[in-house]
Amino acid sequence: MNFDYIIIGAGFAGATLAERLANKANKKVLVIDKRDTIGGNMYDYKDENGIIVHKYGPHLFHTNLENVYNYLQNFGVWFKYEHRVLGMVNNKLVPIPFNLTSISKSFDKELANKLIDILKNKFGIDKKIPILELRKYPDKDINELAEYIYQNVFLYYTMKQWGKTPDEIDPSVTNRVPVYVSLDDRYFQDKYQCMPKEGYTKVFEKMLESDNITVKLNTDAKDILQITDKIYFEGKEFTGKVIYTGPIDELFDYKEGILPYRSLDFEFEKLDTKYFQDVATVNYPTKEDKFTRITEYKHMTIQNGDQIDKTVIMREYPKAFNKDNNDIPYYPIENDESQKMYKKYLAKCNKFDNLYLVGRLAQYKYYNMDLVINEALNLYNELEGE
Ligand code: FAD
Ligand code: UDP
C-alpha cells in the first residue's frame, strides 16, 4: 500500500494523529511501534481477577481543555474519577497536595489553627503556592511551616525522583504539586477528570480501527526508515509525511549528544486482600524508602472493586536513564543545557520538509496526556486543517 503518512509511535501523540488523518482527512496511514502493544505508556490490561492494571505507572486523565475532553468521548465510555493521594509525612498519612487538612493532621490543634488562619489571611482560601515560593516568605510562622513541608514532603521525594534537590531542578516540576490553602483534597482541580471504563488500551483500539490505518508492532523505525539527506522507506525515497513521537536524540543517532531523562522500575505485587490502602496512591516522601509511591489500581480503574477479593499494588523506583540498559525514557529533564541540545536536534529535523515531531519525547516536554493530545490535534490542523 502507498501511505500518505508514516507515524512512529502508537501512544497518544501517534494515535491521535493517525485517527484524525484517517477518519477526517481520508489519508492512508502506517503506524509503527517497536513495542508489541499499542498505547505507548498508556497501555493497560485486565489481569486474571478483572483488575485493570497500568503497565507503565498510574495514569489519571485530567484537563481543562474542553476540546481534548470532547475528542476522547468518541472512543468509549469514561467515568468520573477524582484522584486522591495521601502522603506518609513524618509518620502520618495526610492529603497531598499538602492542604489545610494536612496541617490539622500534622500539628496540635492550637498551632494548626494558628497556621491555617495565617495562610488564609495572607493568601486567601483556595490559593495554591509553590513550595519554593512559600519558603521565601520572611514571616516566621510561614517560614517554619514551609520548612516543615519542604523537608517532609518535597526534599526526599524529589531526590529519589530526580536525583537532585527541589532547588536544583526546574521550578515547574515542584509547582505541579503546590501547597494548597484549601480543604479540597483532590490531587487535581481540573474541570474534567475521568477514566476510561474499559481501560486505555480499548480507547486506542477504537482510535486505530479505521481501514485507512495499518498498525505494525514490533517494528523499530530504524529498521524501515533511513533518514539521511532525505527520508527513505524500505529503500525508496518517501515523499509522504513522517510524524515521529519517539526520543529525538535516538532519531539522529545521538549525533548532538544524549538528552537526559529519568527512568523508573515498577514493582508489581498481587495480594490476597480486598484493599491494601485507602486511596489509589500513597506517596512516600520518606528518606528510608527507596520508592516514591505505591498505587493500588483497583481504586482508580474499576468501579466494582469491593466484589474482588484480591488486589494489585505497584511501587515506583526512579533511576537515571541509561540507553545502553534499554531503560525507558519516562521523564525529560528540562534545563538550559538540555534545551540547548534539544534545539540542535530540532534544527536537524527542520532541514526536512516532511518530518514532524509531536509528543512528550519528541518535543522533550514534561507533558501530561491532555497536552500531548492537544499538540497532536494542533499538528493535524496545521497539516490538513481546512
Ligand atoms: P509515549 O506514550 O511514550 O509513546 C511513544 C511511543 O513511541 C512508544 O510506544 C514507543 O515504543 C514508540 N517509539 C519510540 N521510538 C520508536 C522507534 N524508534 N520505533 C518505533 N516506535 C518507537 N499523564 C497524565 O495526563 N496523567 C497521569 O496521571 C500521568 N501519569 C504518568 C505517570 C508516569 C509514570 C509517566 C511516565 C507518565 C505519566 N503521564 C501522565 C504522562 C503520559 O504518559 C504522557 O503524556 C503520554 O503517554 C505521552 O504520549 P506520547 O505519545 O507522547 O508518548
Ligand atoms: N513531589 C514531591 N512530593 C510529593 C509529590 C510530588 O516532592 O509528595 C514533587 C516531585 O519533585 C515530583 C513533582 O513534585 O517529581 C511532580 O509530582 P507529580 O505527582 O506531578 O509527578 P508525576 O505524576 O508526573 O510523576
Side-chain angles (χ1 to χ4, degrees):
M1 196 195 283
N2 281 333
F3 296 108
D4 300 305
Y5 282 86
I6 297 175
I7 298 179
I8 296 142
F12 257 136
T16 302
L17 271 151
E19 187 282 323
R20 288 288 77 189
L21 288 165
N23 295 332
K24 196 150 184 242
N26 197 26
K27 299 291 177 191
K28 299 264 179 268
V29 185
L30 171 66
V31 178
I32 67 164
D33 203 297
K34 60 183 171 188
R35 295 185 187 168
D36 60 0
T37 54
I38 55 171
N41 288 341
M42 310 300 305
Y43 172 75
D44 58 14
Y45 58 92
K46 210 175 241 187
D47 78 356
E48 66 280 11
N49 299 309
I51 302 170
I52 295 175
V53 174
H54 296 178
K55 182 171 178 186
Y56 302 99
H59 279 91
L60 303 315
F61 181 76
H62 58 101
T63 191
N64 287 317
L65 298 172
E66 192 171 1
N67 64 319
V68 172
Y69 172 79
N70 286 339
Y71 174 68
L72 286 178
Q73 302 311 304
N74 295 316
F75 313 106
V77 175
W78 295 67
F79 65 92
K80 184 173 168 159
Y81 170 78
E82 294 180 317
H83 195 48
R84 283 179 170 77
V85 174
L86 295 173
M88 185 61 80
V89 176
N90 207 6
N91 294 318
K92 290 190 192 100
L93 281 175
V94 307
I96 303 285
F98 201 89
N99 66 7
L100 299 183
T101 308
S102 315
I103 293 181
S104 300
K105 287 189 184 262
S106 300
F107 305 108
D108 69 55
K109 203 167 168 192
E110 198 183 330
L111 177 58
N113 286 343
K114 180 178 157 196
L115 290 169
I116 288 170
D117 281 347
I118 292 173
L119 289 182
K120 277 187 184 166
N121 290 333
K122 181 92 194 164
F123 302 104
I125 193 79
D126 289 340
K127 282 280 152 37
K128 294 179 172 174
I129 310 120
I131 183 61
L132 296 180
E133 279 178 32
L134 198 69
R135 278 186 100 202
K136 288 185 197 142
Y137 276 86
D139 180 296
K140 184 171 169 292
D141 294 304
I142 293 184
N143 201 273
E144 278 175 17
L145 175 66
E147 204 48 38
Y148 178 88
I149 300 173
Y150 179 84
Q151 289 293 334
N152 291 292
V153 178
F154 286 93
L155 181 58
Y156 295 111
Y157 190 107
T158 302
M159 285 178 71
K160 288 188 268 190
Q161 178 73 14
W162 298 97
K164 290 191 158 76
T165 67
D167 312 271
E168 292 168 340
I169 60 172
D170 195 282
S172 62
V173 174
T174 46
N175 290 0
R176 289 167 62 96
V177 186
V179 176
Y180 194 21
V181 187
S182 179
L183 291 170
D184 182 347
D185 64 352
R186 296 170 303 163
Y187 204 58
F188 313 109
Q189 276 66 45
D190 301 56
K191 180 164 178 202
Y192 303 103
Q193 306 192 34
C194 52
M195 293 289 281
K197 195 167 189 311
E198 304 294 334
Y200 288 105
T201 303
K202 291 274 183 249
V203 169
F204 281 87
E205 282 171 6
K206 288 209 174 69
M207 291 176 87
L208 296 170
E209 82 187 346
S210 160
D211 286 345
N212 277 343
I213 300 177
T214 304
V215 178
K216 249 178 134 210
L217 299 178
N218 300 304
T219 305
D220 195 312
K222 291 272 164 205
D223 297 334
I224 57 164
L225 287 177
Q226 287 76 47
I227 299 190
T228 52
D229 54 328
K230 292 184 179 131
I231 301 179
Y232 298 87
F233 171 49
E234 291 177 334
K236 285 197 212 108
E237 184 184 344
F238 183 68
T239 52
K241 293 182 168 116
V242 173
I243 296 168
Y244 182 76
T245 76
I248 190 172
D249 51 352
E250 188 183 312
L251 183 69
F252 291 106
D253 297 322
Y254 307 101
K255 291 235 166 71
E256 302 293 345
I258 300 169
L259 282 167
Y261 295 94
R262 292 293 285 175
S263 189
L264 294 167
D265 282 330
F266 300 117
E267 182 186 82
F268 290 87
E269 199 177 340
K270 290 183 186 180
L271 301 170
D272 283 325
T273 173
K274 210 166 249 191
Y275 285 105
F276 171 78
Q277 59 192 28
D278 289 342
V279 290
T281 299
V282 175
N283 284 2
Y284 286 81
T286 43
K287 191 177 179 184
E288 307 71 40
D289 304 294
K290 296 281 175 261
F291 50 88
T292 48
R293 54 189 177 190
I294 301 182
T295 294
E296 183 171 23
Y297 283 108
K298 244 182 173 184
H299 288 287
M300 58 194 249
T301 61
I302 51 172
Q303 296 142 297
N304 64 340
D306 289 345
Q307 291 159 33
I308 301 177
D309 286 335
K310 300 189 192 291
T311 193
V312 178
I313 60 167
M314 191 274 287
R315 295 181 178 81
E316 290 174 57
Y317 295 87
K319 62 180 185 181
F321 165 75
N322 180 349
K323 73 178 177 59
D324 298 327
N325 290 346
N326 283 328
D327 290 338
I328 297 179
Y330 288 115
Y331 294 88
I333 302 178
E334 292 175 60
N335 57 36
D336 290 347
E337 212 179 311
S338 63
Q339 282 308 317
K340 236 187 248 164
M341 192 186 287
Y342 179 77
K343 285 204 177 109
K344 287 188 191 164
Y345 281 117
L346 204 53
K348 275 186 180 301
C349 171
N350 287 339
K351 288 197 182 134
F352 297 86
D353 58 10
N354 59 343
L355 176 61
Y356 301 86
L357 302 173
V358 65
R360 176 148 150 155
L361 298 165
Q363 293 181 272
Y364 199 70
K365 285 222 164 79
Y366 189 170
Y367 275 155
N368 285 336
M369 66 181 112
D370 61 328
L371 293 183
V372 167
I373 295 167
N374 196 46
E375 288 292 306
L377 293 173
N378 287 341
L379 178 57
Y380 170 77
N381 282 336
E382 198 185 299
L383 293 167
E384 298 290 341
E386 298 85 46

